[in-house]
Each structure stands twice: as C-alpha cells, then as structure tokens.
Amino acid sequence: MAGTLLAVLALLGGSQVLKAECFSPWKGEQQMYKLDIGWPKTPEHFTGQTFCVAVDSLHGLVYVGQRGDNVPKVLVFSEEGYFLHSWNDTVEMPHGIFVWNTAIGSSVWITDVGTGKYGHTVKQYSPLGKLMQVLGTPGNAGSSLIPLQFDQPADIFVEETGEIYVVDGDGGMNNRLLKLTNDYKELWLTGTNGSGIGQFRIPHSVTLDAFGRVWVADRDNKRIQVFDKVTGEWLGSWSSCFSEDGPYSVRFTADYKYLIVAQLNINRLAILAAPPVGSIGDCAIVHSVQLADETKPHLVDVDMRSGAVYVAEIGAQQVQKYVPLS
C-alpha cells in the first residue's frame, strides 16, 4: 500500500523546514530540505527576472540566467553565496542553462528564446562567458535539421559523453525532443504538437536518470513523459500528480531517488519518488515545498555533490537554495 503521503511545512529557527510524516511507496531514505536564508550573500545582484539556474558541482559554482533591459544576463556565484562575476555577450533571452564538465574543462550551455539576432539558438560558453559554439540559426525560427533551426528552445541536458538533449520549444512552432551527437549531428528526434503519446505541448525541461531514461516536462499537457535515451522510444508518462498545474522543471536528486519538479502557477516544488529500473508506473508526491504567493518557480537545478536544490523564481526575481537535512 502506498499510503497517504503528507508533508508538513514548519517554520523553525527562521528557516523553512520540510518534514515528511509518511514513507514513499518505493523504499528509500526520505529527503528533507531547509531554506538557506544566507544564500546568496548579496541578493541585490539579482536585477532582472531570474529564469534559470545551473550548478557546477565540480568547481562549486552556480550560474544564474536573468532577463531585463540593461542587466547582465548571466550571474556567477560561489556555492557559499558570494557573487563572483557576470557576463552578457551574445545572450539575449536566456531560458535554460546547463553546466557541462569534462576532463579538460567546463562550459556553460544556454538556450536563448530571444527574437533578435542572437535568439532561437543553443549556445556554449566558457565559464567566463566567451562564446564557443552556436547551434541553430541565430535570429531565425525554424524546424529544419539541415540547417539546424530551433524555435524558442526551452532547455538542454548534456551527458558526460557530450551527447546533447534539447527540448524545443517554449511556445513556438516546434514541440519536439532532439538528441544530438557530441559533434552536433542528429541521433534521433521525437515529438509533434498534440496530446497523444510522444506528442508535446510546450516541452519545457529535460533531464536524464541513472538508468538511461530521458524525462521531459510536457508543460501544457500537464504530464512528464519518459523516453529511452538510446532509441528515443516512448516508455511511459506521469500525469496524476499534475492536475493542479503542469511541470515546469525536472531534475533528479543527487542519489537519483527523487525527482524535483517546479510548478510555477501554484508556487510549489513537488518531490516525486523515482521509479526503479524497468518500470515507470504512476507518480507519487512524497512531499512538497509550498512557496510564497507570486514566487513563480520556473527552473531548478541540483548540486550533485552536496544535494542542494537551487530554484530560479521569476516572480520573486531571485534564486533560492534548499539544503538537505540529514
């Protein structure tokens, strides 16, 4: 029996603490989080709408993408919360952001949904903001693969091998999931506009688990869809957890036992039990974090070393950090 899953949000010592009172239907240790009220040290650096956040777990860095007129588009903080620097070159309207670490260095991938000369692209930058690679046709929305064209690409996930997963797009003509090789050739593509199996209505976020499965937040269909990373084959979907609001962001916890999902319109972070290998099953919310009204959590990321969860909030115009409690 799955049991009733109840989470109580208490205020304790000035921090939000999430206490789970029941057990997950899948066996495993319960995660509990508290808000790190001291992160960042200088929140005045948030001068625009904070749309996305990415953690460089290897180097202890946190990248924040924000939008607005005459504001730096990318802010870089330490994991302790100290502001380090910012950059702005060729970034128009950041939507998704991802840090890719290799044996020879790290880089930052950004999906840009702008409509100007830099928009409709997926771009790779050095940690200091030097443009290294552009995927797509800058300034031109499209659906072709030769040349590669995007229309408001929403999010990106890059494997250690360099293989790339892109969900395209955030309200444009495309509703698709692409997998590219490390030299940017198409491996497979799936998805059209619709609500059927494998179709999307605003595929908004993408991530991978430890078992070779690709998880996509199918936002306006109010579901998460799951695909095989090798073939692109549809494996299943979750919808029962999202009757109130669709999923905006999907990221796994550091131990891959849970999936962190942002729900913007109800100002909530839902923590779902991850299914075992070989099964998708039904979704179960094991607990949740209820944020203040108009916070509007958009995209999240997880520090895969410490387990901390960072939440980019476009309503509150800030990024907040939640740390796991042992």
Side-chain angles (χ1 to χ4, degrees), residues 111-147:
T111 65
D112 195 328
V113 299
T115 56
K117 64 180 180 179
Y118 300 126
H120 302 299
T121 52
V122 178
K123 291 172 282 197
Q124 182 186 25
Y125 294 88
S126 74
L128 294 177
K130 179 182 178 181
L131 182 63
M132 300 168 61
Q133 181 67 47
V134 178
L135 305 183
T137 308
N140 293 315
S143 60
S144 71
L145 297 174
I146 304 175

Side-chain angles (χ1 to χ4, degrees), residues 115-235:
T115 56
K117 64 180 180 179
Y118 300 126
H120 302 299
T121 52
V122 178
K123 291 172 282 197
Q124 182 186 25
Y125 294 88
S126 74
L128 294 177
K130 179 182 178 181
L131 182 63
M132 300 168 61
Q133 181 67 47
V134 178
L135 305 183
T137 308
N140 293 315
S143 60
S144 71
L145 297 174
I146 304 175
L148 185 61
Q149 287 183 301
F150 300 109
D151 189 355
Q152 301 181 46
D155 197 18
I156 180 171
F157 188 97
V158 186
E159 289 196 83
E160 291 183 10
T161 60
E163 292 178 325
I164 296 169
Y165 303 81
V166 177
V167 280
D168 174 39
D170 184 40
M173 71 178 78
N174 300 330
N175 285 271
R176 60 186 185 174
L177 166 66
L178 298 87
K179 182 178 182 180
L180 305 174
T181 64
N182 59 8
D183 58 353
Y184 319 121
K185 304 295 192 301
E186 177 206 352
L187 281 172
W188 51 258
L189 178 152
T190 188
T192 57
N193 182 49
S195 57
I197 289 176
Q199 293 183 310
F200 301 109
R201 285 183 174 153
I202 305 188
H204 199 259
S205 181
V206 60
T207 194
L208 264 66
D209 65 16
F211 305 122
R213 299 177 295 196
V214 185
W215 296 70
V216 176
D218 186 6
R219 194 187 83 184
D220 282 15
N221 278 325
K222 293 186 175 182
R223 65 186 179 185
I224 291 174
Q225 296 200 74
V226 191
F227 302 85
D228 182 276
K229 81 168 189 176
V230 175
T231 64
E233 176 189 1
W234 184 86
L235 299 177

Side-chain angles (χ1 to χ4, degrees), residues 260-299:
I260 310 291
V261 177
Q263 294 177 284
L264 181 142
N265 296 298
I266 59 175
N267 304 294
R268 185 172 77 171
L269 299 180
I271 302 169
L272 283 61
V277 63
S279 171
I280 300 300
D282 296 323
C283 61
I285 297 177
V286 297
H287 39 249
S288 62
V289 178
Q290 186 61 51
L291 305 175
D293 289 347
E294 302 303 319
T295 297
K296 298 188 182 301
H298 186 248
L299 292 176

Side-chain angles (χ1 to χ4, degrees), residues 9-17:
L9 187 64
L11 290 178
L12 191 64
S15 298
Q16 290 182 343
V17 179

Side-chain angles (χ1 to χ4, degrees), residues 68-80:
D69 296 330
N70 302 312
V71 303
K73 299 300 171 60
V74 179
L75 310 174
V76 186
F77 296 87
S78 70
E79 62 182 0
E80 296 83 15

Side-chain angles (χ1 to χ4, degrees), residues 86-128:
S86 64
W87 39 274
N88 203 34
D89 186 42
T90 70
V91 183
E92 191 174 335
M93 293 179 65
H95 188 280
I97 190 169
F98 187 88
V99 175
W100 181 48
N101 283 310
T102 70
I104 59 173
S106 62
S107 58
V108 182
W109 285 92
I110 293 176
T111 65
D112 195 328
V113 299
T115 56
K117 64 180 180 179
Y118 300 126
H120 302 299
T121 52
V122 178
K123 291 172 282 197
Q124 182 186 25
Y125 294 88
S126 74
L128 294 177

